[in-house]
Every structure is written in structure tokens, then in C-alpha cells.
């Protein structure tokens, strides 16, 4: 929700500066917003990593299950670093009138890549595959977003 708040706050500014032809300021707003959500994602990641054992022990008193939660959370928490940037990239493309790129980013991270990894990773990697779905989805979506940004920034 914090990331969505950043996106909503930045989108009107990005849209205004883009419409005014201030491309440098538009890019700077995107960069600053991405730094903010990266910092927020890092804070959440550290919180999840630091609290995973405590969180797991809230629900069960079985050391094996708590260790599973701890190891899984360590993998899953990595996705928080990139999820915010992907959300902001989607907001960015919506703000500059490039709905197709925004839709591709959103649908990739929320449906397409997610489903592909859900069906592929667990059969081969078991429970580790389940935990890897979110981080791999976010990382590949990040590369997709960076591709679109490079293309947009070059004027294509």
C-alpha cells in the first residue's frame, strides 16, 4: 500500500511534467520515486528477515515448521526489493500515456509470469519453488520494465 501511495502521489507530477515537455524532470521524478520505494522495500525485507522466526512461532510450536517459514521468508523477502519499482514503473507508463507498457508490466507481475512460475517451479524445486515464485516474477518484471524505460527514454 505504501508503494501504491508513492505511485499515486508521483503520477500526477510525472504526467504534468511529461505533458509540459520537461523530460529531464519527468525522469528525475521517476528516479526519486524508485529510490524511495526501493528503500521502503529494503526496510520491509529486513523486517521480514528479522522477524520470520518470531512470526512462524506465532502459529506453531514446531521447530521444523518455524525453520521452513524462516528459510522461505528469506527467499520471499527478496521480492520486496523489486515489487515497488515494478509498481512505480507501471504508474510511470500510465502517467506518460503509454498504457500498453503499463498493462504489460502489471499483467506480467500479477498474472502471466506469476502463473508460469507457479506451474513450473514447485514441481521441480518443491517448497523452495513455491517461495521462489514471487522473487523471480518481480526480477523478470523489473527487466521488462527497464527495457520499456530504455525504449521510452530513447524516444522510440
Amino acid at each position: 500500500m505504501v508503494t501504491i501511495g508513492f505511485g499515486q502521489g508521483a503520477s500526477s507530477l510525472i504526467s504534468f511534467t511529461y505533458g509540459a515537455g520537461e523530460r529531464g524532470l519527468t525522469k528525475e521524478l521517476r528516479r526519486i520515486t524508485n529510490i524511495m520505494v526501493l528503500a521502503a522495500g529494503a526496510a520491509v525485507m529486513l523486517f521480514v528477515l528479522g522477524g520470520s522466526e518470531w512470526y512462524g512461532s506465532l502459529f506453531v510450536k514446531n521447530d521444523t515448521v518455524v525453520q521452513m517459514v524462516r528459510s522461505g521468508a528469506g527467499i520471499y523477502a527478496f521480492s520486496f526489493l523489486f515489487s515497488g519499482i515494478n509498481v512505480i514503473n507501471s504508474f510511470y507508463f500510465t502517467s506518460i500515456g503509454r498504457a500498453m507498457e503499463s498493462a504489460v508490466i502489471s499483467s506480467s507481475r500479477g498474472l502471466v509470469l506469476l502463473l508460469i512460475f507457479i506451474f513450473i517451479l514447485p514441481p521441480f524445486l518443491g517448497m523452495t519453488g513455491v517461495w521462489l515464485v514471487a522473487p523471480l516474477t518481480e526480477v523478470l518484471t523489473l527487466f521488462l520494465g527497464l527495457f520499456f524505460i530504455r525504449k521510452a527514454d530513447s524516444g522510440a
Side-chain angles (χ1 to χ4, degrees):
M1 295 311 296
V2 169
T3 300
I4 290 172
F6 277 114
Q8 289 173 337
S11 64
S12 59
L13 295 171
I14 289 169
S15 184
F16 180 81
T17 58
Y18 188 83
E22 295 288 337
R23 299 301 190 263
L25 185 53
T26 302
K27 292 176 189 178
E28 183 66 11
L29 286 168
R30 182 188 70 222
R31 188 185 72 77
I32 290 168
T33 307
N34 276 332
I35 289 170
M36 291 174 156
V37 298
L38 179 64
V44 171
M45 183 183 87
L46 292 174
F47 179 75
V48 169
L49 291 173
S52 61
E53 190 168 335
W54 168 80
Y55 182 75
S57 66
L58 281 176
F59 300 100
V60 294
K61 300 301 178 204
N62 182 314
D63 289 337
T64 305
V65 174
V66 170
Q67 285 307 103
M68 284 175 52
V69 170
R70 185 174 178 204
S71 67
I75 297 168
Y76 182 83
F78 189 68
S79 66
F80 289 114
L81 285 176
F82 308 111
S83 63
I85 294 171
N86 290 331
V87 170
I88 296 305
N89 286 343
S90 180
F91 269 103
Y92 173 76
F93 284 110
T94 299
S95 299
I96 66 169
R98 296 183 76 158
M100 190 273 300
E101 288 89 339
S102 176
V104 169
I105 290 169
S106 292
S107 61
S108 292
R109 71 180 295 264
L111 183 67
V112 178
L113 291 173
L114 188 72
L115 284 177
I116 290 169
F117 288 138
I118 284 172
F119 287 111
I120 292 175
L121 295 177
F124 293 107
L125 301 174
M127 198 61 183
T128 301
V130 173
W131 291 110
L132 280 170
V133 168
L136 286 177
T137 297
E138 295 297 349
V139 167
L140 285 181
T141 302
L142 177 68
F143 287 126
L144 186 61
L146 293 174
F147 169 77
F148 287 145
I149 286 171
R150 178 169 285 161
K151 189 174 170 185
D153 286 352
S154 70

